[in-house]
Amino acid sequence: MISTVWLPLLVPFLAAPAGRRLASHLAPRQAIWLLTATAAGLAAASTCALALLVVPGATHLHVVAALGHLLTPLSNGSPDAVIAIAVAAGALLAWSTARLVRGVRRRWTQLRRAGRLAAEADGELVVLTDDHPDAYALPGSPGRIIVTTGMLRALSGPEREALLAHERAHLAGRHHIFTAVVDLAALCHPALRTLREPLGYAVERSADESAARAVGRRLTARAIGRAALAAHAPSTGRARPGLALAATAGPVPRRVAALLSEGTEARTARPLARRAAAVALAACMALAAGASLQAADDLHDGIEVAQGETP
């Protein structure tokens, strides 16, 4: 089991680049689902691998052996090495679990605070008296679109409609859930941190395309560009609440170029590169899942042997 169980811990270093590459060749909505599923699956596999590494060393403790009705500790090498690996894996598991719990609590607190702010407003649109240009979607039940008077002055009437359509798409697509999943997965394995930036881009591009369908591509591109330029000015006012999603986030020039090129950035990618990235990602995901299952099965067999049952 020891050799097999290392694979889910190493695979993310290969799968994350493959996922980023494949996501760049997909439509924004497809990229969102791909990156989120990849992050969640790899985080689960690596966490399970750490837990499986802890078990053999833990069986050297009398209390664990008694609870498992084990006649002998699990044998996967020299006792010193097994115990050392279990201690290291346990420390990493406890550290990542603590970070994950804190991350979940922080997200939950932000969501509740956003819900309270949204509940205090009447209607979907909330206009704040603030000279600094800003606009963002605030998730809640229901979500709200927050825009400052400075942003309203910076845009024309049609551009305002494009900006509101963009923020409305964030709320309709529940994009804050996808970003939360990837952020939390990144707390479980360092390689998954690299998926946050492409997910953020895919989320904004998805909202861009939704706004483009509603008001037109060129108008959306112009509105996003002008909003980003206006929001770039230094602000001395209030900060955005946690979980806020803004049209001015991410690589705005790249997003504007994609809108003006009819959103063909994914379709013009070389088919060979797209297929290679898809095969690499599929292989990595299958390897991580298969290795986790095989390690769990090997552990189960080892426990039966240690209990004195016939192998």
Side-chain angles (χ1 to χ4, degrees):
M1 183 194 76
I2 292 296
S3 59
T4 306
V5 79
W6 290 108
L7 290 176
L9 299 174
L10 300 176
V11 163
F13 291 103
L14 299 176
R20 295 197 309 270
R21 183 67 179 271
L22 181 58
S24 67
H25 299 332
L26 297 176
R29 182 174 176 79
Q30 295 172 335
I32 291 173
W33 281 99
L34 172 77
L35 293 168
T36 304
T38 298
L42 293 175
S46 61
T47 302
C48 288
L50 287 176
L52 291 172
L53 283 170
V54 172
V55 176
T59 60
H60 286 264
L61 298 175
H62 293 300
V63 63
V64 175
L67 288 173
H69 305 289
L70 304 179
L71 302 179
T72 61
L74 296 183
S75 177
N76 288 295
S78 67
D80 291 342
V82 171
I83 293 174
I85 291 173
V87 170
L92 286 174
L93 184 61
W95 178 65
S96 62
T97 300
R99 296 182 67 208
L100 186 61
V101 170
R102 288 197 299 268
V104 170
R105 290 182 60 184
R106 182 172 61 252
R107 285 276 173 173
W108 179 249
T109 300
Q110 291 174 343
L111 187 59
R112 291 182 61 185
R113 185 177 296 118
R116 287 196 297 268
L117 291 174
E120 295 174 357
D122 295 328
E124 177 191 52
L125 180 62
V126 179
V127 178
L128 300 180
T129 303
D130 191 339
D131 290 335
H132 177 69
D134 199 8
Y136 51 86
L138 190 63
S141 298
R144 308 293 183 185
I145 298 174
I146 313 298
V147 61
T148 65
T149 52
M151 181 63 79
L152 293 178
R153 287 195 296 267
L155 303 179
S156 65
E159 290 168 347
R160 295 173 192 166
E161 289 301 318
L163 185 66
L164 294 180
H166 176 101
E167 303 300 352
R168 196 174 291 117
H170 280 316
L171 297 177
R174 314 288 280 179
H175 289 163
H176 66 285
I177 296 178
F178 296 98
T179 57
V181 169
V182 175
D183 285 344
L184 293 175
L187 299 177
C188 300
H189 196 289
L192 302 180
R193 298 172 188 171
T194 60
L195 297 181
R196 291 185 294 191
E197 187 275 332
L199 176 73
Y201 175 73
V203 162
E204 294 303 327
R205 282 286 297 117
S206 178
D208 290 344
E209 290 298 322
S210 180
R213 289 191 294 270
V215 302
R217 306 192 70 83
R218 292 189 174 277
L219 176 58
T220 301
R222 187 168 69 248
I224 291 172
R226 292 190 63 179
L229 288 174
H232 187 67
S235 172
T236 57
R238 70 193 79 188
R240 291 175 185 165
L243 301 183
L245 294 167
T248 55
V252 174
R254 183 181 170 194
R255 290 166 49 202
V256 170
L259 283 167
L260 295 178
S261 62
E262 301 298 323
T264 58
E265 58 179 353
R267 293 190 294 273
T268 56
R270 290 178 297 176
L272 181 60
R274 183 168 60 248
R275 285 196 294 268
V279 170
L281 180 60
C284 288
M285 296 296 289
L287 184 61
S292 296
L293 292 174
Q294 183 62 50
D297 186 61
D298 291 345
L299 178 63
H300 179 266
D301 292 342
I303 291 175
E304 289 185 342
V305 172
Q307 290 174 334
E309 299 181 13
T310 302

